[in-house]
Amino acid sequence: MNDVTSRYPTEDVEKPRIVILISGSGSNMLTIADQVLSGSIDADIAGVVCNEPEAAGVQKARDRDLDVSVIDHRGFTSREEFDVALMRTIDDYQPDLVVLAGFMRILTPDLVRRYEGRMLNIHPSLLPKYQGLHTHRRALEAGDDLHGVTVHFVTEVLDDGPNVIQAVVPVMDGDTEETLRKRVQLQEHIIYPIAVKWFVEGRLEMVSGLATFDGKPMPDTGVKLEG
Ligand code: GRF
């Protein structure tokens, strides 16, 4: 039979598989999952992994009928031991992309190397500014006019891998950590799904330590969205 559709059945073509790691409220996980579930990101959420049994994000993921694995890091005697269990859990989902969405654990080099080039993180600052914690407080204390958020590939140095997208957020008079956090988070929910979509469409890659888009190196900032 000379029927093209029967020779290439689309339903047999596997979509890229995404695993999302969370520790907290899971709002970034949810925006990405909802874009996948609505079809605007052409992928499957293979699973959500959380290290905090009581995290609000666990219930949010279950409400969307996502497969959720909870691994409490307190049940392990070392970071290495926890990460071995974490890698096993992630690998069981056979992901093409690992998305860190508020996953509040420092990762061992073994884990980072395993997923290098297919692991993204979102960090609430204009990296390389304010790596680490309390980014909103530090931007306020420094008197910055501009703050923001970055999606980047994960490499062995914390919050240091090549940038993919940054959104710039103005700091307003009278801002508190909380008002600034909320303004930044609105941008997180815009830029993280974009980066995930680019990756699963094969447009975004990490090549020789650089983020590339359609085969061309991105600027150091990544694509910069000025508010
Ligand atoms: C976000 O602010 C993100 O930038 C940081 O952790 C937070 C996670 O928030 N890495 P949520 O759990 O996605 O609501």
Side-chain angles (χ1 to χ4, degrees):
M1 189 168 65
N2 207 5
D3 179 349
V4 172
T5 48
S6 70
R7 276 188 292 142
Y8 301 103
T10 48
E11 60 270 22
D12 286 352
V13 176
E14 280 240 354
K15 294 184 178 192
R17 297 169 63 80
I18 301 173
V19 168
I20 307 179
L21 272 56
I22 62 170
S23 300
S25 78
S27 68
N28 282 284
M29 175 274 298
L30 208 57
T31 25
I32 293 165
D34 280 349
Q35 292 208 20
V36 169
L37 294 171
S38 74
S40 76
I41 296 176
D42 196 17
D44 284 326
I45 304 288
V48 173
V49 181
C50 184
N51 66 307
E52 288 286 354
E54 301 303 323
V58 169
Q59 194 51 48
K60 289 179 189 163
R62 290 196 172 127
D63 288 346
R64 296 293 197 277
D65 284 332
L66 301 176
D67 196 281
V68 181
S69 296
V70 176
I71 325 174
D72 189 340
H73 59 277
R74 296 169 197 88
F76 297 85
T77 51
S78 67
R79 190 177 298 284
E80 286 70 23
E81 199 187 304
F82 171 70
D83 272 12
V84 168
L86 182 59
M87 281 187 269
R88 275 200 201 113
T89 305
I90 296 171
D91 287 349
D92 280 347
Y93 289 118
Q94 301 182 313
D96 299 289
L97 174 64
V98 178
V99 171
L100 305 181
F103 188 64
M104 301 304 284
R105 298 281 308 167
I106 292 176
L107 304 170
T108 55
D110 277 356
L111 189 144
V112 173
R113 276 196 294 268
R114 185 169 191 83
Y115 305 110
E116 202 160 71
R118 53 187 176 118
M119 182 155 62
L120 295 172
N121 183 43
I122 190 157
H123 183 78
S125 77
L126 297 172
L127 289 173
K129 238 180 169 182
Y130 308 134
Q131 293 158 324
L133 297 174
H134 309 302
T135 57
H136 309 312
R137 185 188 312 166
R138 287 154 72 196
L140 288 171
E141 282 171 0
D144 292 351
D145 295 330
L146 297 174
H147 185 45
V149 55
T150 306
V151 175
H152 65 98
F153 279 103
V154 177
T155 56
E156 284 185 46
V157 183
L158 184 69
D159 301 328
D160 189 61
N163 290 347
V164 174
I165 313 185
Q166 288 192 323
V168 179
V169 171
V171 180
M172 310 286 201
D173 285 347
D175 256 343
T176 62
E177 269 185 76
E178 187 54 16
T179 56
L180 190 52
R181 186 191 68 76
K182 283 190 177 149
R183 195 172 313 116
V184 168
Q185 194 146 59
L186 289 175
Q187 297 302 316
E188 296 182 3
H189 298 162
I190 294 169
I191 68 171
Y192 216 176
I194 293 174
V196 169
K197 187 175 169 71
W198 285 346
F199 186 91
V200 299
E201 289 175 350
R203 307 187 75 181
L204 171 67
E205 290 177 291
M206 190 172 110
V207 180
S208 308
L210 291 177
T212 65
F213 186 74
D214 287 346
K216 298 190 189 74
M218 295 182 119
D220 288 349
T221 55
V223 170
K224 195 164 187 174
L225 306 179
E226 320 254 1

